[in-house]
Amino acid sequence: MEKTTAVQIVMPQHCNGYKKPRLFGGQIMAWIDVVGAVAARRYTQRAVTTVCIDNLTFLKPAYLNDTVVQEAVVTWTGNTSLEVRVDSMVERLDGSRELINRAYAVFVALDDQDKPAKVPPFEPQTEEEKQIFRDAETRRRIRMSLGNEAKTGKQP
């Protein structure tokens, strides 16, 4: 799987007002959306639009002056959509990394008229990629169920 990487230093404008300034959750969400979109654009060779971002769980904080490294990989494709996993890590000065967030973003590829466009199929090669693909299909079924609930107002 080809990775797209983004690196940021947490600056004062990225932090909340707590006494030990922490990275604001909305900021990491924006960074996730950007690096995920870049991975999706590279994979599809098309413009993309964000459909949703799942499971945005903050495992650990990042603080002022931390280095945040994000790695995005395509995990699944459908006909016009694709899922991208984004791992966000704090990188220490010694080069070690600690996972602070994992998110799954879904994008739709767009043609020149901003209509959904076919995407190349993701073909998992390794056992790990095959498991990641199966897990992505499970997340898709859950999303579809929740999407139907939102449309109808009924519980699944």
Side-chain angles (χ1 to χ4, degrees):
M1 294 187 298
E2 186 175 327
K3 290 182 184 174
T4 298
T5 303
V7 180
Q8 305 283 342
I9 295 175
V10 179
M11 304 292 218
Q13 67 268 24
H14 303 140
C15 294
N16 63 21
Y18 194 64
K19 49 189 156 180
K20 184 175 182 186
R22 292 177 184 227
L23 177 61
F24 180 59
Q27 182 62 63
I28 199 166
M29 289 171 57
W31 291 343
I32 288 166
D33 195 21
V34 171
V35 72
V38 171
R41 289 166 58 126
R42 287 177 172 174
Y43 184 85
T44 63
Q45 297 181 343
R46 294 186 170 277
V48 298
T49 189
T50 309
V51 174
C52 69
I53 300 177
D54 289 355
N55 300 329
L56 198 58
T57 303
F58 298 95
L59 306 171
K60 305 258 181 178
Y63 294 100
L64 181 64
N65 207 34
D66 278 347
T67 301
V68 174
V69 177
Q70 294 177 301
E71 294 179 343
V73 294
V74 172
T75 56
W76 175 89
T77 58
N79 187 36
T80 61
S81 61
L82 64 161
E83 181 190 80
V84 177
R85 183 184 76 210
V86 180
D87 288 340
S88 300
M89 297 156 283
V90 168
E91 184 177 81
R92 308 284 178 226
L93 293 176
D94 66 4
S96 65
R97 292 180 179 179
E98 181 176 22
L99 185 68
I100 61 170
N101 182 276
R102 174 170 282 166
Y104 295 92
V106 178
F107 299 91
V108 169
L110 302 172
D111 66 15
D112 293 337
Q113 287 75 45
D114 281 345
K115 302 290 183 208
K118 288 184 88 57
V119 300
F122 176 69
E123 298 175 3
Q125 303 298 314
T126 66
E127 283 307 313
E128 179 186 12
E129 288 176 353
K130 290 175 185 177
Q131 184 60 53
I132 289 169
F133 187 86
R134 286 189 296 271
D135 293 345
E137 288 180 323
T138 299
R139 284 188 295 278
R140 180 180 182 277
R141 283 191 295 275
I142 293 167
R143 280 186 215 109
M144 298 302 284
S145 171
L146 294 173
N148 288 334
E149 174 187 328
K151 288 178 189 172
T152 64
K154 296 179 182 175
Q155 298 289 322

